[in-house]
Amino acid sequence: SVQLVESGGGSVESGGTLRLSCEVSGYTFENFIRRYCMSWFRQIPGKEREGVAVIDKTGSTLFADSVKGRFTISRDIARSTVFLEMNNLKAEDTAMYFCAADQIRCRVATVPYSDYMGQGTQVTVSS
């Protein structure tokens, strides 16, 4: 079965940088990304999930307005990994970040309901 495992979260000061990783197993990654959009969403306890970034089957990327210009999403086939590079972090970026995959949910607004998701990695930004 497909598994998504996130890593790279932590605590940083405002303006800092973190890179999150999502390793995909249980499927040949190169074939997987041809069929699935990969994404990241985040959640603060008591609040709704918020889509952050998507990289679709063609490699095109989409971002939430709140992170445009600061976050990038990429894929590394050799490492079976999807990355979320987060620059100029702000206190409001503090959340649990989840990696997700879905065959049809390829828009930022819909990725929080993806078929596959990992356990999450916590990001805390202090102001």
Side-chain angles (χ1 to χ4, degrees):
S1 62
V2 174
Q3 283 195 313
L4 310 178
V5 179
E6 303 94 336
S7 61
S11 297
V12 296
E13 292 185 352
S14 179
T17 295
L18 281 175
R19 187 174 77 158
L20 306 184
S21 300
C22 171
E23 186 171 358
V24 180
S25 62
Y27 208 108
T28 302
F29 189 68
E30 190 168 5
N31 292 335
F32 189 76
I33 59 174
R34 288 196 187 115
R35 298 180 59 190
Y36 288 82
C37 294
M38 301 297 303
S39 62
W40 291 88
F41 67 90
R42 63 190 182 187
Q43 188 170 27
I44 300 169
K47 295 196 174 182
E48 290 191 2
R49 296 173 179 178
E50 177 191 14
V52 174
V54 180
I55 183 163
D56 71 15
K57 302 166 197 178
T58 70
S60 295
T61 58
L62 297 168
F63 298 93
D65 288 343
S66 58
V67 306
K68 274 181 187 172
R70 300 189 296 122
F71 289 15
T72 58
I73 185 171
S74 60
R75 306 176 300 198
D76 185 328
I77 293 174
R79 297 170 66 178
S80 300
T81 299
V82 178
F83 299 101
L84 183 69
E85 177 91 9
M86 305 185 295
N87 299 306
N88 190 21
L89 281 160
K90 304 176 180 180
E92 51 264 41
D93 294 318
T94 295
M96 184 73 80
Y97 283 72
F98 297 85
C99 177
D102 198 285
Q103 288 186 287
I104 60 174
R105 292 180 178 89
C106 299
R107 294 166 54 197
V108 172
T110 58
V111 298
Y113 308 99
S114 295
D115 284 342
Y116 295 106
M117 56 188 69
Q119 294 298 307
T121 186
Q122 177 67 37
V123 171
T124 303
V125 184
S126 56
S127 56

